[in-house]
Amino acid sequence: MENAIEINGLRKKFGKFGVSDVSFTLPRGFIMGFVGKNGAGKTTTIKAILNMLNRDAGEIKIFGRDNIAEEAEIKQKIGIVMDSPFYEENWTLLQVGRALKPFYTNWSDELFNKMLHDFQLDPNKRVKQLSRGMKMKIMIAAALAHDPDLLILDEPTSGLDAVARDELLEILQSFMCNENKAILFSTHITTDLEKIADYITFINNGQIMHSDTKDNLLDKYVVIKGGVGVLTPEQRALVIGYHETKVNFDAIVEKVHLKEFPKGLVTESCTMDELVVRFNKQGGNA
C-alpha cells in the first residue's frame, strides 16, 4: 500500500539548532506517534512536511507526490491541527468555517456543522470565548471538514485535561476507521501513544533515534535493576538512561544484550513512558 509520508535525508539548520538527516515512513492506515522533548525537532519536521520553511536538503513525499512540486494538490489531502488555533479571536465558529471554505475543493459545510453539533460547540460563540478543550475541537472540526486522507497534529493534547484528551483520542480512532487514512501525531504525552499509536518515531536533538512499530519497540527493550557497582564499564556502555541511588541502579537495555549481564538482575517489561524518559536521559545516544 502507498505510504502517506516518506521523508528522506531532511536537513534544516537554524544557527546551532536544526534537524539532520531525518528519515522515516508512515504507511496508509496507521497512526504514528512523533515523540521527543520540546525543542527536539518535531515542529521543524512538521513545518517541512507542510512546506512552511525552506529546507537545506532532503526529499518529502505525501502519498507518493513531491510536497514542493505538487504542494497545492497535496494540501487538499491534509488536515492540520496545531497546539493553538490560528483563527482571528473575534471570529464566531461559523465565521471560521466561512474563512476556511474557499481553500478546500472538498469542503463540506454539512460536515463542519455536524461536527460543531457533535462536539457541543455553539456556532455563534467567538474563538476567544472557548476553553482550551473547545479550541482543540474547533481545530479538529476545521481539519476534518474537507475529508483529508492525512491528519497532522502538533502537540494537540498539551494542556488538555484527561477527559478532553480521551475525547480527542476517540475522534482520532474514529477517523482511522477508513484504512486509507493516516495520522502523524506529535506529542510528548506518552500515555496517549500507548492507547492509539501503531508506529513510534523518536527524535532527539534534531535526529531520528528510532522509528518502528510500537510493539517492536516495546518488545526490543527491558528494564534491568540491581545493586550499585555490579556492572562493568563494558556493561554500562550497553545500557540506556542509567539511574542509581545509594544502593541500587536501574536502566533499560536491548534484550539481545541481556546474556552479557550478571545473573540475578531484576528484569521488567518496558513502558513507552520509560523508553522516552530513558532516551532523553541518554541524550539520544541509544
Side-chain angles (χ1 to χ4, degrees), residues 128-141:
K128 65 183 179 182
Q129 297 175 299
L130 302 180
S131 66
R132 167 71 176 156
M134 289 179 178
K135 286 180 177 178
M136 188 55 56
K137 287 179 179 179
I138 183 60
M139 285 191 287
I140 290 284

Side-chain angles (χ1 to χ4, degrees), residues 126-183:
R126 299 190 184 276
V127 173
K128 65 183 179 182
Q129 297 175 299
L130 302 180
S131 66
R132 167 71 176 156
M134 289 179 178
K135 286 180 177 178
M136 188 55 56
K137 287 179 179 179
I138 183 60
M139 285 191 287
I140 290 284
L144 296 181
H146 65 284
D147 190 28
D149 290 328
L150 171 63
L151 195 56
I152 297 177
L153 305 102
D154 191 10
E155 297 285 357
T157 56
S158 179
L160 294 183
D161 60 37
V163 173
R165 289 203 345 253
D166 278 344
E167 289 178 343
L168 174 59
L169 298 183
E170 287 177 6
I171 294 167
L172 300 185
Q173 288 172 320
S174 177
F175 175 79
M176 291 303 299
C177 287
N178 184 331
E179 64 181 15
N180 290 317
K181 309 288 189 181
I183 297 175

Side-chain angles (χ1 to χ4, degrees), residues 13 43 73 76 85 156 161 163 168 188 229 236 259 263 268:
K13 283 291 183 185
T43 298
E73 294 84 354
Q76 293 294 322
D161 60 37
V163 173
L168 174 59
H188 60 272
R236 279 285 299 269
K259 61 182 180 296
K263 293 183 179 180
E268 297 176 354

Side-chain angles (χ1 to χ4, degrees), residues 19-278:
V19 295
S20 178
D21 295 320
V22 167
S23 300
F24 63 83
T25 299
L26 170 60
R28 280 186 188 259
F30 296 97
I31 300 175
M32 175 178 283
F34 193 31
V35 188
K37 60 187 176 182
N38 292 335
K42 300 189 301 295
T43 298
T44 297
T45 303
I46 287 174
K47 286 183 176 179
I49 292 171
L50 299 173
N51 199 25
M52 294 172 64
L53 50 79
N54 294 319
R55 57 186 181 253
D56 299 329
E59 180 184 56
I60 300 174
K61 291 186 177 181
I62 308 297
F63 302 115
R65 306 168 78 173
D66 185 271
N67 79 318
I68 296 177
E70 301 180 82
E71 178 180 8
E73 294 84 354
I74 285 170
K75 285 188 173 176
Q76 293 294 322
K77 295 177 173 290
I78 300 176
I80 306 162
V81 179
M82 307 304 278
D83 62 346
S84 59
F86 44 82
Y87 315 129
E88 168 58 48
E89 286 282 291
N90 284 315
W91 282 352
T92 66
L93 304 193
L94 281 179
Q95 287 174 317
V96 168
R98 289 173 189 153
L100 295 176
K101 180 178 180 178
F103 295 97
Y104 297 102
T105 56
N106 288 335
W107 181 275
S108 168
D109 286 330
E110 182 180 357
L111 179 56
F112 181 72
N113 292 329
K114 179 181 185 302
M115 284 189 287
L116 293 185
H117 179 269
D118 291 346
F119 295 163
Q120 298 181 338
L121 295 173
D122 182 348
N124 296 309
K125 210 161 194 175
R126 299 190 184 276
V127 173
K128 65 183 179 182
Q129 297 175 299
L130 302 180
S131 66
R132 167 71 176 156
M134 289 179 178
K135 286 180 177 178
M136 188 55 56
K137 287 179 179 179
I138 183 60
M139 285 191 287
I140 290 284
L144 296 181
H146 65 284
D147 190 28
D149 290 328
L150 171 63
L151 195 56
I152 297 177
L153 305 102
D154 191 10
E155 297 285 357
T157 56
S158 179
L160 294 183
D161 60 37
V163 173
R165 289 203 345 253
D166 278 344
E167 289 178 343
L168 174 59
L169 298 183
E170 287 177 6
I171 294 167
L172 300 185
Q173 288 172 320
S174 177
F175 175 79
M176 291 303 299
C177 287
N178 184 331
E179 64 181 15
N180 290 317
K181 309 288 189 181
I183 297 175
L184 180 66
F185 186 167
S186 162
T187 185
H188 60 272
I189 303 175
T190 55
T191 52
D192 295 339
L193 303 180
E194 295 270 14
K195 294 179 181 178
I196 67 167
D198 304 298
Y199 285 80
I200 301 291
T201 294
F202 180 77
I203 187 169
N204 202 355
N205 297 325
Q207 294 184 311
I208 300 297
M209 309 316 301
H210 297 274
S211 188
D212 204 344
T213 68
K214 178 181 66 179
D215 291 341
N216 283 349
L217 275 175
L218 291 176
D219 189 57
K220 183 177 181 180
Y221 296 94
V222 65
V223 178
I224 58 172
K225 299 179 179 180
V228 171
V230 302
L231 299 186
T232 66
E234 293 77 14
Q235 291 164 343
R236 279 285 299 269
L238 292 173
V239 305
I240 299 167
Y242 182 87
H243 171 261
E244 69 176 41
T245 64
K246 290 182 179 180
V247 294
N248 296 312
F249 84 90
D250 55 80
I252 64 171
V253 67
E254 291 188 41
K255 288 181 179 178
V256 296
H257 295 314
L258 276 178
K259 61 182 180 296
E260 301 177 45
F261 285 81
K263 293 183 179 180
L265 293 179
V266 175
T267 61
E268 297 176 354
S269 298
C270 204
T271 66
M272 185 56 59
D273 190 55
E274 284 171 319
L275 282 178
V276 172
V277 169
R278 305 287 181 166

